[in-house]
Amino acid sequence: MKKMWKRKRAACLALVLVMLLGLGLSGCGKKEDKHVIRLGTKDFTENVIIGRVYASALEDAGYEVEVIENIAGSIIHTSLVNDEIDLYPEYTGTGLLSILKMDVMTDAQKVYDTVKDEYKKQFDLVWLDYSAANDGQGLVIRTETAERLGITTISDVQKNASALRFASQGEFDEREDGMKGLEKLYGPFEWKSSKVYSNGLKYSLLLNDEADVAPAYTTEGQLVQPEFTLLVDDKQLWPPYNLAPVVRQNVLDEYPEIEDLLNKVSALLTTENVTALNAKVDVEKQEADEVAEEFYGTIKDQIFAE
């Protein structure tokens, strides 16, 4: 049965029946003495899907969950700090660079340990276990171009830049973790041409042979298509962006058992399966709630195995 999202507390049918029977009970529900767990998501496909998977696990464990979707990435951390939501899926690299404003690190465990310690000290927030799923920054190239020129890494792109057309998204050219950082680490990129396009156009530009290389994120659904190849960041410019739930400490104090539950979900998330989930929505145009529910059904038994 399809789950109902963005639920609010509602009168229970059981209460109506009890009242009709004259039993005089004052409430109903499995968690009548506990507040709703407010689970937030950012405003893009992947975060919505993963948030709904976490929500399904919580609901099947007996919790009432309110899913608050499509919160702007610029304010979702503040929403958590201000007690407007209780948890949301975050990325370790985002925590390190955007929230903590710390220097780039490329070791996944070190990044996680750093954000976990600092979030607890500064915000009284807890990072649960991080997943293998890594939605980091990258560059994508037309597969035909890559095969013709023998390109597999960003170093290869730098050496062949004069034969390549770059489709930028504007701000990428000015960011320290964008083109500026690439040129500091890899050397200058003397593109055949470099033009600024809307991010939403990049895959159609590549597909239509109007560009060769573009910035990308490593779990974008279009990357499952054979026409596109994700380049290897062989000198490791970019930090890892591993997915993990960030939770308010007071929520864990009230529901300590949800830590183990959500960690079991995270342990089953990989870059490959998250990319495939994104593809079902962004490429195949399926509904995010249906994709999340279908995926959850494939992992539910592993989560609740004795």
Side-chain angles (χ1 to χ4, degrees):
M1 180 181 295
K2 187 175 180 180
K3 291 183 180 293
M4 303 265 315
W5 299 99
K6 296 186 180 179
R7 267 172 266 200
K8 303 287 186 179
R9 289 185 185 273
C12 300
L13 178 60
L15 176 58
V16 176
L17 295 175
V18 166
M19 292 175 66
L20 290 174
L21 291 171
L23 296 180
L25 298 181
S26 60
C28 66
K30 290 185 288 186
K31 294 287 179 179
E32 60 185 358
D33 59 330
K34 295 187 177 182
H35 70 261
V36 175
I37 294 179
R38 301 160 300 172
L39 191 153
T41 79
K42 296 187 181 185
D43 55 352
F44 58 92
T45 297
E46 175 177 302
N47 213 255
V48 170
I49 293 172
I50 300 306
R52 289 178 171 185
V53 173
Y54 285 134
S56 291
L58 289 167
E59 288 185 325
D60 279 347
Y63 294 96
E64 188 174 355
V65 181
E66 178 186 354
V67 179
I68 305 170
E69 296 178 349
N70 296 314
I71 303 172
S74 59
I75 65 171
I76 194 166
H77 171 74
T78 303
S79 298
L80 189 63
V81 171
N82 291 343
D83 196 16
E84 296 166 351
I85 57 175
D86 296 317
L87 72 146
Y88 74 97
E90 184 56 285
Y91 301 86
T92 55
T94 301
L96 181 75
L97 301 178
S98 299
I99 304 301
L100 298 175
K101 309 296 184 184
M102 299 182 75
D103 293 337
V104 172
M105 305 174 189
T106 57
D107 180 84
Q109 187 64 48
K110 186 176 181 181
V111 172
Y112 172 74
D113 291 341
T114 299
V115 297
K116 185 177 179 68
D117 290 346
E118 291 300 319
Y119 267 59
K120 187 67 179 73
K121 291 176 186 176
Q122 296 187 34
F123 312 116
D124 202 26
L125 301 176
V126 179
W127 280 79
L128 302 187
D129 291 353
Y130 71 92
S131 71
N134 177 25
D135 183 7
Q137 181 70 60
L139 292 180
V140 61
I141 189 170
R142 297 180 69 243
T143 300
E144 185 277 330
T145 302
E147 292 176 347
R148 175 167 49 84
L149 297 177
I151 293 174
T152 59
T153 68
I154 295 177
S155 288
D156 295 334
V157 167
Q158 190 272 336
K159 294 173 185 175
N160 290 276
S162 62
L164 301 170
R165 299 159 297 173
F166 186 60
S168 181
Q169 280 86 61
E171 65 169 341
F172 183 84
D173 294 340
E174 303 302 322
R175 282 169 27 199
E176 289 300 324
D177 64 340
M179 187 52 64
K180 286 185 176 181
L182 283 171
E183 293 196 330
K184 286 180 182 178
L185 187 60
Y186 288 92
F189 287 73
E190 303 291 345
W191 302 110
K192 180 178 181 180
S193 66
S194 179
K195 298 180 181 179
V196 175
Y197 299 94
S198 169
N199 183 57
L201 295 176
K202 66 187 177 192
Y203 286 105
S204 62
L205 290 167
L206 296 175
L207 191 63
N208 294 331
D209 195 16
E210 297 176 56
D212 298 298
V213 181
Y217 291 100
T218 55
T219 57
E220 287 180 330
Q222 291 87 347
L223 292 173
V224 303
Q225 298 174 271
E227 292 86 357
F228 310 118
T229 296
L230 186 68
L231 292 159
V232 176
D233 178 17
D234 52 306
K235 294 188 178 181
Q236 295 187 312
L237 168 66
W238 289 301
Y241 284 78
N242 296 96
L243 262 168
V246 181
V247 190
R248 292 176 55 80
Q249 180 64 64
N250 66 309
V251 174
L252 286 179
D253 291 341
E254 187 172 0
Y255 313 129
E257 63 278 7
I258 72 171
E259 179 171 0
D260 181 62
L261 175 67
L262 295 177
N263 284 342
K264 288 179 178 178
V265 177
S266 294
L268 300 172
L269 301 177
T270 66
T271 300
E272 292 73 22
N273 62 27
V274 170
T275 302
L277 294 174
N278 290 335
K280 288 185 177 183
V281 176
D282 293 334
V283 178
E284 300 174 22
K285 305 306 179 183
Q286 298 183 34
E287 295 296 326
D289 59 340
E290 295 174 358
V291 170
E293 186 174 350
E294 179 184 9
F295 175 71
Y296 174 70
T298 69
I299 64 173
K300 177 179 176 179
D301 289 345
Q302 297 176 72
I303 296 169
F304 292 97
E306 293 295 334

